[in-house]
Amino acid sequence: MSDKNGATNRGEVVSSKWGVWFRKSIIFCLMYVVLSFFFGGIVGVPAGKLLLHHQVPDLGVFLIAAVYFYLMVTVFVSFGSYVSRDTGAYPRIILLSIIPLLGFALYYWGLGMQLSDGDARELWSSSWMWYSLNQYWANPVLKVLSAYGAGMTAVTLVVALVPSISIMLGVVLQGRIMVGVKNRTRMLVWGAFPVLGVLALLISMVVPKGSYTVHQYPRIDGATAAIPFAEKLKSELTGVNQLRAADDTRFNTTHEAYLNLIEGRADLIFVAGPSEDEISTATKNGIELELHPVGKDAFIFLVNQKNPVNGLSSEQIQDIYGGFIMNWSEVGGKNEPILALQRDANSGSQTFMEQGVMADAVLSEVPKEQKVSLMGGLIDRVAAYNNEENAIGYSFHYYASEMYHQEEVKFLTVDGVMPNRDTIHSGAYPYTAELYAVTRSNLPQDHAARKIVKWLQGEEGQRIVEEGGFIAAGGS
């Protein structure tokens, strides 16, 4: 009889444990959703405005991020401590109740990667949409930190563990480590970090940071490939954080940048050399363009990875784009017609193609469907043009290798030389393109645009050119 009662009691204990686990798991999941969306929504708007303030430097961005994560850890620790009160003999069961939170994080990550056609390498693409909903509380800060480069994918995945670990910490701390510590002392110790962080933020905001205020900084435009360089330049000269610099930098492609400079909507542009049409437009408007070389890049040719051709000579490139070589078999490839893509007239790459590559040859006219308006669109066409491998296109090295890198595309050697930083530096690669800082001749001599051009040609300026992805103008 006693055995039967013992078995019954053990069954009731097991049932009770599973009941506690289930109830606490539901509470953790529901309250996590409420806390996540409450703090993500409430904090997101003011945090975004604060982080874009021109007086918040890069150090301030990281201070805000650190204080925010610290406060959110406090919220989740307190939540775990509160839920674990009066749990009797089941503290380990409470710890296991956070497993569904981890399970949902993994599920949402897999769901997004499986259902979406977005780029998994881009954190804010549609592939990450479900996962970002899972950790909505952290999104305001993660979006800011993503402007600071590599490693953010790993950080974003790790952040999913923060709520669960914090809740577990709250469960452990409840009734144990904190016993005997006065509430007032505990609050003072726990609250010291955010207070110090806010004080450091205020100090960083009042310390002078740059040579120009955002109001003194000239109106700048340029080519798409020069955007990262322009962002670093603004951050360096005004002291604004990288997020603000990126938000302020809105380039309109090479041709539009030239028109904006000519018509007075920009004071300084970063572009390749002007086309004949752009020079003519400037002359008609009584404007003389002043071109100042500040950096170098390479003009490259690219094909699909599956194309067996790895290099071409300068003459072969001219013959392909002149309409004399029309099949890949003529240059060591398959017996397939060559689809020679071009850019629209007056784009930076098309101008270099006409003036730099085909200077002593005739560039053939192609049907409209072989002309691509955007540089990224041309790379996409080469990567997968109707699932064929017969296209060839061109771009600038930094844009194609860093800003719009495609695994399905490979760069061709030209005259046996592969385009890279070393061959651009040395001049061994035949098609080296200048990055110009272009101003109008009618700008006053003390104009900020002129001062920035002069600074760029100095040692500190050339360092920023290199950090922006280009090769220093004096590189050799």
Side-chain angles (χ1 to χ4, degrees), residues 232-391:
K232 286 188 175 293
L233 179 65
K234 181 158 191 175
S235 181
E236 177 77 14
L237 294 181
T238 65
V240 300
N241 62 65
Q242 292 184 37
L243 181 69
R244 173 65 188 263
D247 190 68
D248 287 348
T249 305
R250 294 287 182 268
F251 279 13
N252 295 288
T253 72
T254 299
H255 183 57
E256 289 299 319
Y258 269 110
L259 294 181
N260 287 337
L261 180 69
I262 292 168
E263 296 171 10
R265 293 187 294 271
D267 303 313
L268 173 64
I269 62 175
F270 296 109
V271 287
S275 66
E276 293 182 4
D277 183 47
E278 288 156 352
I279 294 174
S280 175
T281 300
T283 302
K284 289 178 182 178
N285 283 269
I287 298 297
E288 182 182 350
L289 300 174
E290 295 182 346
L291 277 67
H292 311 273
V294 295
K296 296 178 181 178
D297 199 358
F299 188 75
I300 63 169
F301 291 86
L302 36 89
V303 295
N304 193 283
Q305 277 284 8
K306 296 179 181 178
N307 193 320
V309 174
N310 293 314
L312 296 169
S313 67
S314 301
E315 292 76 16
Q316 287 173 328
I317 291 172
Q318 289 182 335
D319 286 344
I320 288 173
Y321 278 94
F324 299 104
I325 294 179
M326 304 181 69
N327 195 290
W328 283 111
S329 62
E330 299 177 63
V331 290
K334 297 179 181 179
N335 184 22
E336 296 282 351
I338 297 175
L339 182 72
L341 301 175
Q342 296 188 32
R343 290 288 311 284
D344 284 343
N346 293 317
S347 64
S349 55
Q350 188 67 14
T351 297
F352 190 92
M353 183 67 185
E354 295 169 356
Q355 299 179 358
V357 177
M358 305 294 288
D360 56 352
V362 178
L363 182 65
S364 65
E365 284 292 327
V366 295
K368 185 178 180 180
E369 59 269 19
Q370 285 182 228
K371 289 195 173 184
V372 188
S373 59
L374 298 176
M375 192 150 33
L378 185 144
I379 295 175
D380 287 338
R381 290 275 297 270
V382 173
Y385 183 80
N386 291 339
N387 296 318
E388 299 173 359
E389 298 86 47
N390 61 340

Side-chain angles (χ1 to χ4, degrees), residues 416-442:
V417 181
M418 176 63 71
N420 55 47
R421 295 187 70 85
D422 291 336
T423 57
I424 301 170
H425 259 300
S426 65
Y429 185 73
Y431 298 132
T432 299
E434 298 283 357
L435 172 69
Y436 290 106
V438 186
T439 57
R440 296 187 304 275
S441 60
N442 60 2

